Amino acid sequence: MLKDIRLINDKLIEINKNNPKELKKYLLIKEILKDDNCFLKMDIEYAYSILRDLKFSEEDLKKVYLKLI
């Protein structure tokens, strides 16, 4: 699942390469996702925020989060 999340983030980096504000956000997320245990180490609110930034729907957040941990 984390591999899929990384791919989604890479696609969003490519899409936002001409939007500096969004690009900065996705580059920061890329750094966070380098750690295979990143979702185990962060608060649930922070994890949900990242998943929202990665365009997951509200109804999928819990399901995706549980798969990641």
Side-chain angles (χ1 to χ4, degrees):
M1 185 70 186
L2 188 57
K3 183 178 176 182
D4 296 331
I5 301 286
R6 288 174 177 148
L7 289 173
I8 292 168
N9 191 60
D10 288 342
K11 288 178 186 175
L12 289 167
I13 288 171
E14 182 63 29
I15 290 169
N16 290 288
K17 63 184 175 187
N18 294 323
N19 183 343
K21 182 180 177 186
E22 290 294 305
L23 180 60
K24 183 177 179 179
K25 174 175 64 176
Y26 293 117
L27 290 173
L28 176 60
I29 291 172
K30 183 176 182 130
E31 287 300 311
I32 293 167
L33 295 177
K34 285 182 180 179
D35 180 356
D36 289 341
N37 296 315
C38 62
F39 284 96
L40 294 171
K41 296 176 181 178
M42 66 179 77
D43 293 334
I44 189 170
E45 295 86 8
Y46 192 71
Y48 273 35
S49 177
I50 288 174
L51 294 175
R52 283 184 191 105
D53 285 339
L54 295 175
K55 311 299 185 203
F56 284 94
S57 65
E58 288 296 316
E59 52 270 356
D60 289 338
L61 290 179
K62 184 176 181 180
K63 179 177 68 173
V64 173
Y65 177 72
L66 291 175
K67 285 182 181 180
L68 289 165
I69 59 167

